[in-house]
Amino acid sequence: MSAARRVPPGPPLTAGPGLFRKLATDRLGMMTYATRYGDAVRLRIGPKALYFFNHPDHAKHVLADNAGNYRKGIGLVQARRAIGDGLLTSEGELWRKQRRTIQPVFQNKRIAGQAGVIAAAGAALVDRLRAHEDGLPVDVAGEMTGLSLNVLGRTLLDADLGGFESIGHSFEAVQDLAMFEMVTLGTVPLWTPLPKQRRFWTADRDLRQVVDHLVADRLARGADGDDVVSRLIASTASEPDPAVARKRMRDELVTILLAGHETTASTLSWTFYFLDRHPEVRRRLQAEAVEVLGDRLPGYDDLRDLTYTAMVVQEVMRLRPPVWMLPRQAVSDDEVGGYRVPAGSDVLISPYTLHRHAAFWTDPERFDPDRFDPARPATRPRYAYIPFGAGPRFCVGNHLGMMEATFVIAMVVRDLRLALVPGYRAEPEPMLSLRVRGGLPMTVHAARPAQVGA
């Protein structure tokens, strides 16, 4: 049999019902199960054949070298019905136009100018947490979500999102429907009056009102800024159909609101979980924060000196990558790793499993920030670690997200110690990001600089 006709190994057809259940209830387990069959696996689920590839060379081919042959796949195709054609789900010329519109907002010079905004938000977070010191537990995941939404509004939209308390609940409904769409492969019409659909209808109306308010507020203040809303207003001004212009505006802003805060909030939440589990890492991180920052707020130039903090964030994103799966669909026949991928096939690249590949990571389940010590030569392939994706669709907000995570973690750990409620199990929930299921209840305690090295 020629290489171009080889079919990847995989579980037997009789495993299909079990795989379907895993897709519905244990998506990370399904990815981990697939690795039993190697780096290239075909999973048959009913009429679907999913091609799972778990080698850096495979990721490089699909996401970068031959990215033009792949469009967004299972999950994101169905999510489009819930969140529209924003930067996360759009394709082709629409995506390229959206990317060109948004890209300048994320230029390094502009992001550097937002350091003060992030530092102020971090200081406000520390004050809120300190109010719970030695008291009842606080949901740290909820606090990180609120913080990330606030930072997103201030840095990207030039808007105060504090008055829109319903946004979080609306995005819960959107994500819930998006995952339902993935599990049912988009076979249930959106107009079906199921509970998930009804919650989504309410959320959709709410998010439309939020977007309309953001646009109206920006127009009232003058749409000549360099923020996302101003750029979207300018980019849709020439659209002859006002309804199309409104839809483009709505889809893009909803996507930015969702993707722009969810991934950072998830990373921050998981970081405080791992720091509680690894006090020696927390003490070392605190020592760095005290040495670099003293008692002042961080500034952009501090990023180069908060080296260990960045290493911690990178290791958290290795074990809990905010984007846990990168689904694609082949446009034309292709060959990946010597295996034929027919046109129309669903292809899965999972950072969650790739970041645990034993051939590229020593003791992969161990939490060890020193893996990312910049003084150590990196021996792993570039595509063994892809927390922000790769190729043309590399996350446009990676620099902003890293700065936010680095600043917030350093500021919180410098002053406070967060402890997980005894007996609570923090479980990952693979939605559009890999968040903590059900929240993260933690108690708040003082962590004075005198404790460094204790």
Side-chain angles (χ1 to χ4, degrees), residues 82-386:
I83 62 178
D85 277 313
L87 197 61
L88 181 66
T89 56
S90 60
E91 300 284 358
E93 185 54 37
L94 174 59
W95 174 80
R96 285 186 284 273
K97 183 173 183 178
Q98 291 170 331
R99 183 85 174 203
R100 287 193 300 268
T101 299
I102 300 301
Q103 186 79 47
V105 179
F106 294 94
Q107 290 177 347
N108 285 351
K109 184 177 180 180
R110 186 183 185 279
I111 294 303
Q114 304 298 320
V117 174
I118 296 173
L125 170 70
V126 171
D127 288 343
R128 288 197 304 275
L129 292 174
R130 188 177 280 123
H132 296 271
E133 194 172 306
D134 298 324
L136 295 174
V138 59
D139 178 14
V140 169
E143 286 289 341
M144 297 308 122
T145 297
L147 167 90
S148 297
L149 266 174
N150 178 31
V151 169
L152 182 148
R154 298 290 188 183
T155 60
L156 299 184
L157 308 178
D158 189 23
D160 181 3
L161 299 178
F164 301 106
E165 296 181 356
S166 62
I167 287 181
H169 298 295
S170 295
F171 278 136
E172 287 293 319
V174 168
Q175 289 206 68
D176 197 25
L177 181 65
M179 288 299 102
F180 177 74
E181 289 275 286
M182 183 181 77
V183 171
T184 60
L185 304 178
T187 57
V188 180
L190 281 179
W191 48 260
T192 306
L194 297 174
K196 291 181 190 297
Q197 268 85 342
R198 289 199 296 269
R199 285 195 297 271
F200 170 75
W201 297 340
T202 301
D204 189 50
R205 287 193 298 271
D206 174 65
L207 292 173
R208 286 175 186 273
Q209 291 173 357
V210 172
V211 167
D212 288 346
H213 176 87
L214 291 173
V215 174
D217 178 68
R218 168 53 63 227
L219 288 170
R221 291 191 287 144
D224 55 355
D226 65 347
D227 58 279
V228 169
V229 181
S230 295
R231 290 186 175 278
L232 287 173
I233 290 172
S235 72
T236 58
S238 59
E239 175 59 56
D241 187 340
V244 172
R246 285 195 299 271
K247 183 180 186 305
R248 277 187 51 200
M249 188 85 69
R250 179 260 179 192
D251 290 353
E252 194 55 46
L253 285 175
V254 166
T255 297
I256 288 172
L257 283 168
L258 174 57
H261 87 278
E262 179 82 10
T263 51
T264 303
S266 296
T267 296
L268 285 168
S269 300
W270 283 117
T271 299
F272 291 114
Y273 163 78
F274 279 113
L275 291 179
D276 177 63
R277 297 284 300 276
H278 300 273
E280 73 287 354
V281 173
R282 177 182 53 78
R283 286 192 291 267
R284 184 174 165 188
L285 196 156
Q286 186 197 22
E288 177 181 83
V290 170
E291 179 182 355
V292 173
L293 301 179
D295 59 359
R296 62 175 174 81
L297 296 181
Y300 185 75
D301 290 341
D302 291 315
L303 283 175
R304 65 172 177 265
D305 296 320
L306 291 170
T307 307
Y308 189 66
T309 310
M311 290 161 54
V312 169
V313 176
Q314 288 173 291
E315 178 69 345
V316 169
M317 290 193 296
R318 184 185 71 83
L319 287 172
R320 296 291 188 270
V323 179
W324 59 279
M325 185 173 73
L326 299 167
R328 296 292 186 266
Q329 187 177 74
V331 176
S332 303
D333 288 356
D334 196 12
E335 184 179 338
V336 181
Y339 294 100
R340 177 175 177 264
V341 177
S345 297
D346 286 291
V347 173
L348 305 179
I349 304 290
S350 174
Y352 182 83
T353 54
L354 197 57
H355 293 179
R356 288 168 162 75
H357 199 304
F360 309 108
W361 302 95
T362 302
D363 195 3
E365 292 293 341
R366 180 166 54 93
F367 181 72
D368 180 13
D370 283 317
R371 300 178 198 272
F372 293 96
D373 188 340
R376 292 184 180 181
T379 58
R380 59 185 175 271
R382 158 70 181 83
Y383 286 80
Y385 182 68
I386 51 172

Side-chain angles (χ1 to χ4, degrees), residues 393-405:
R393 302 196 77 136
F394 185 81
C395 176
V396 70
N398 67 303
H399 188 46
L400 177 64
M402 278 299 296
M403 180 166 67
E404 181 180 346

